[in-house]
Amino acid sequence: MSVPCEQCPLRLTPLFRPFSENELGFIGRMKTDHIVVAPRAHIMHEDEIGGPVYTLFEGWAIRYHRLPNGGRQILDIMLPGDTIGLASALLGRIKHSVQAITTATLCVLEARSFPDLFSDHPALALNILQTRLAEEQRMDIRLSLLGRSDAEQRIAYLMLETFDRLRQRGIGHGGSTCPFPLQRRDLADAVGLSTVHVGRTLGSLRERRLADIQNGMLILFDREKLAELASYVPTGDAKGRRAIL
Amino acid sequence: MSVPCEQCPLRLTPLFRPFSENELGFIGRMKTDHIVVAPRAHIMHEDEIGGPVYTLFEGWAIRYHRLPNGGRQILDIMLPGDTIGLASALLGRIKHSVQAITTATLCVLEARSFPDLFSDHPALALNILQTRLAEEQRMDIRLSLLGRSDAEQRIAYLMLETFDRLRQRGIGHGGSTCPFPLQRRDLADAVGLSTVHVGRTLGSLRERRLADIQNGMLILFDREKLAELASYVPTGDAKGRRAIL
DNA sequence: CGGCTACTTGAATACTTTCAATCCGCGTGG
DNA sequence: CCACGCGGATTGAAAGTATTCAAGTAGCCG
């Protein structure tokens, strides 16, 4: 069941900028569909050419890269409000796939509208660029994480970052717990470790009563200590900058 | 000594798009200065706010992130034609520093012009976004590299990628050699290893007659084998898309 | 009650780091 | 012109961290 952009609840989260009538109208016309995909379904595949742009409306997805040796690197975890497929739409070719890990619903946006968006709504266009730049900074930190942190730090950081990203989107059950549908295997491919070692590390964090993941739920027992362990600093993110629904 | 954009040799490399009179004029007016910095000088510092945008005109620089524990992660190697400081200019705050590693010359561009650029030259604006998206893809691969490759692959890949990036910029001495001013220490911080292990790995590549770095020069003895080792596939990069001089 | 998949645990192995010592090239100053 | 000092590079040995292999457990669904 399609949600018109005017009534989109995501739009009201602190992640998105306020829109003018005009802008909202334009974005509304870009939206051509609203689809639901099953867990594990692919939203977009490596080497796919072109295709639409999506906004993840509900559910989780991963953006990943398959390596020639059979391995997998999860490049990013995509949460509601995240844009999927910009590179594919504007560059033509991409080097990663996107896969739903829960049931997910997506807004489908016509890629052809982008040149018009840039001509007619320069402020939106600038906000899109700003959003990409903010995402680049998040990726920079992820790079440092893989290059210069040990197993505990990597996992602790990912927990905290994901927890906070959910909060920014108005998701999360108030306390120190949030949904976390990634399995050991996914976690491993996200932080560059083996499944076994992720399991051990998780066990250690659990024993030390810092955090735990069970039954698809993340629990932060001691956010303070966890943040210190991971050198986690909550980022202001791109508050109020996102321009695409 | 300042080079007017109209005569900029970089502009003619396959990296950049062709510009109209109009566009070139606008970019020319954005350019407020042309400066030279010494090796090891900082071009921009973590937590710095705002500031101009630079284009690296000549020389090498590194974009890096300092970790609370004293470590350093080099996020990217910046080569002539690369844009520096977009995030700082458009987002206000950044989480990385940029440091010259050779003598470098920079074009200084007024950050204030960006809103006008987006209003008046939407095609340029779109190209800027496309360039960022292409860079994001390069960072994605770097992430896979740190997450899922061993020491030899990391270093081999970095060698090949850098070699080809220089070629795209019309730099390189024809054969299988190119300048490579990064020291062991820098290499280590770029690929997430210790200096010692970088040294050993480099030694191994040298013994096997695959590649070597000495006296600031990279030599690819056997590009074929090196590419196979690293699963390196030359990327079309963002050919002919860059819009900022 | 299988059979499946995810998760856990143990042991052996492999890769990388750390520590420490040595070497080398180069610029300085005697 | 040569000794000295310094930073970078190399090498060896020991310690640490993470991977692989393998076996076993737990929960879920038919």
Side-chain angles (χ1 to χ4, degrees):
Chain A
M1 171 215 56
S2 179
V3 176
C5 294
E6 288 78 6
Q7 294 160 35
C8 177
L10 264 180
R11 186 166 69 77
L12 304 174
T13 66
L15 215 55
F16 286 89
R17 82 205 270 282
F19 298 98
S20 73
E21 276 304 298
N22 237 334
E23 291 168 340
L24 202 52
F26 185 90
I27 295 171
R29 284 190 299 280
M30 282 181 77
K31 178 169 174 179
T32 60
D33 206 351
H34 191 87
I35 63 176
V36 181
V37 300
R40 322 211 121 251
H42 273 83
I43 296 165
M44 128 176 305
H45 215 285
E46 181 156 9
D47 297 330
E48 203 174 285
I49 296 189
V53 172
Y54 304 94
T55 298
L56 186 53
F57 178 73
E58 200 180 354
W60 289 39
I62 53 173
R63 198 163 65 79
Y64 73 89
H65 179 65
R66 263 212 183 289
L67 296 115
N69 63 6
R72 178 179 70 153
Q73 174 67 48
I74 293 183
L75 302 165
D76 201 7
I77 298 171
M78 323 224 52
L79 302 177
D82 285 342
T83 301
I84 296 172
L86 248 199
S88 157
L90 297 186
L91 251 34
R93 207 166 339 140
I94 51 170
K95 301 195 178 61
H96 61 258
S97 307
V98 180
Q99 181 181 25
I101 59 174
T102 67
T103 300
T105 69
L106 302 154
C107 299
V108 184
L109 305 172
E110 208 152 39
R112 279 173 292 183
S113 311
F114 275 87
D116 284 346
L117 191 160
F118 271 68
S119 305
D120 304 345
H121 301 280
L124 280 189
L126 187 54
N127 278 143
I128 292 175
L129 177 60
Q130 288 175 316
T131 302
R132 293 324 308 170
L133 291 169
E135 291 290 301
E136 277 186 54
Q137 299 211 64
R138 212 160 53 74
M139 293 308 275
D140 285 349
I141 292 178
R142 191 184 294 307
L143 198 76
S144 297
L145 208 66
L146 296 200
R148 287 282 175 247
S149 304
D150 63 25
E152 290 204 338
Q153 296 180 308
R154 298 188 200 192
I155 290 181
Y157 196 100
L158 189 66
M159 286 172 164
L160 289 163
E161 191 200 57
T162 307
F163 184 88
D164 285 353
R165 283 176 71 204
L166 283 175
R167 278 294 148 78
Q168 289 163 2
R169 284 143 229 250
I171 304 171
H173 309 270
S176 54
T177 168
C178 74
F180 200 89
L182 269 67
Q183 326 192 126
R184 304 287 184 269
R185 176 64 195 276
D186 302 317
L187 220 32
D189 289 338
V191 298
L193 298 168
S194 66
T195 11
V196 177
H197 198 50
V198 165
R200 286 193 227 281
T201 307
L202 238 27
S204 158
L205 292 176
R206 181 182 326 141
E207 274 178 22
R208 290 156 62 195
R209 306 245 89 210
L210 295 178
D212 195 13
I213 296 175
Q214 39 181 238
N215 303 119
M217 278 284 160
L218 165 66
I219 311 167
L220 304 180
F221 294 130
D222 190 336
R223 191 190 157 112
E224 284 285 302
K225 287 217 194 80
L226 203 62
E228 195 199 331
L229 169 68
S231 304
Y232 176 78
V233 183
T235 152
D237 215 22
K239 268 212 169 56
R241 272 216 196 82
R242 301 215 168 185
I244 292 223
L245 291 178
Chain B
M1 170 217 56
S2 178
V3 174
C5 295
E6 289 78 4
Q7 294 159 35
C8 177
L10 265 180
R11 187 167 67 77
L12 304 174
T13 65
L15 216 54
F16 286 88
R17 83 205 270 282
F19 298 98
S20 73
E21 278 302 302
N22 238 334
E23 291 168 340
L24 203 51
F26 185 89
I27 296 170
R29 285 189 298 279
M30 283 181 76
K31 178 168 174 178
T32 60
D33 207 351
H34 190 90
I35 63 176
V36 181
V37 302
R40 324 211 119 251
H42 273 84
I43 296 165
M44 124 176 309
H45 216 285
E46 183 157 5
D47 296 330
E48 203 173 286
I49 295 188
V53 172
Y54 304 94
T55 299
L56 185 53
F57 178 73
E58 199 181 354
W60 289 39
I62 53 174
R63 196 163 66 79
Y64 73 89
H65 180 66
R66 262 209 186 290
L67 296 118
N69 63 5
R72 179 180 67 154
Q73 174 68 48
I74 294 184
L75 302 165
D76 201 8
I77 299 171
M78 322 223 52
L79 302 177
D82 286 341
T83 301
I84 296 172
L86 248 199
S88 159
L90 297 186
L91 250 35
R93 206 165 341 138
I94 51 170
K95 301 195 179 63
H96 62 259
S97 307
V98 180
Q99 182 182 25
I101 58 173
T102 66
T103 299
T105 70
L106 302 154
C107 300
V108 184
L109 306 172
E110 208 151 38
R112 278 173 293 182
S113 311
F114 275 89
D116 284 346
L117 192 160
F118 271 68
S119 304
D120 303 347
H121 300 280
L124 279 190
L126 188 53
N127 279 143
I128 291 174
L129 178 60
Q130 288 175 316
T131 302
R132 293 323 309 169
L133 291 169
E135 292 289 302
E136 278 186 53
Q137 299 212 62
R138 211 160 54 75
M139 294 306 278
D140 285 348
I141 292 178
R142 190 184 296 306
L143 198 77
S144 297
L145 207 66
L146 295 200
R148 286 284 175 244
S149 304
D150 63 24
E152 289 204 338
Q153 297 181 307
R154 297 188 200 192
I155 290 182
Y157 195 101
L158 189 67
M159 287 173 163
L160 289 161
E161 190 199 57
T162 308
F163 184 88
D164 285 354
R165 283 175 72 204
L166 284 175
R167 279 294 147 79
Q168 290 163 1
R169 283 141 229 251
I171 304 171
H173 309 271
S176 54
T177 169
C178 73
F180 200 89
L182 270 66
Q183 324 191 131
R184 303 286 183 271
R185 178 65 195 275
D186 302 317
L187 221 31
D189 289 338
V191 297
L193 298 168
S194 66
T195 10
V196 177
H197 200 51
V198 165
R200 287 194 226 280
T201 307
L202 238 28
S204 157
L205 292 176
R206 182 183 326 143
E207 275 176 21
R208 292 157 61 194
R209 306 248 84 209
L210 295 178
D212 195 13
I213 296 174
Q214 39 182 239
N215 302 119
M217 278 285 160
L218 166 65
I219 312 169
L220 305 180
F221 293 130
D222 190 336
R223 193 192 155 111
E224 284 284 303
K225 286 216 195 81
L226 203 62
E228 195 199 330
L229 169 68
S231 304
Y232 176 79
V233 182
T235 151
D237 216 21
K239 269 213 169 55
R241 270 213 199 84
R242 301 214 168 187
I244 294 223
L245 291 177

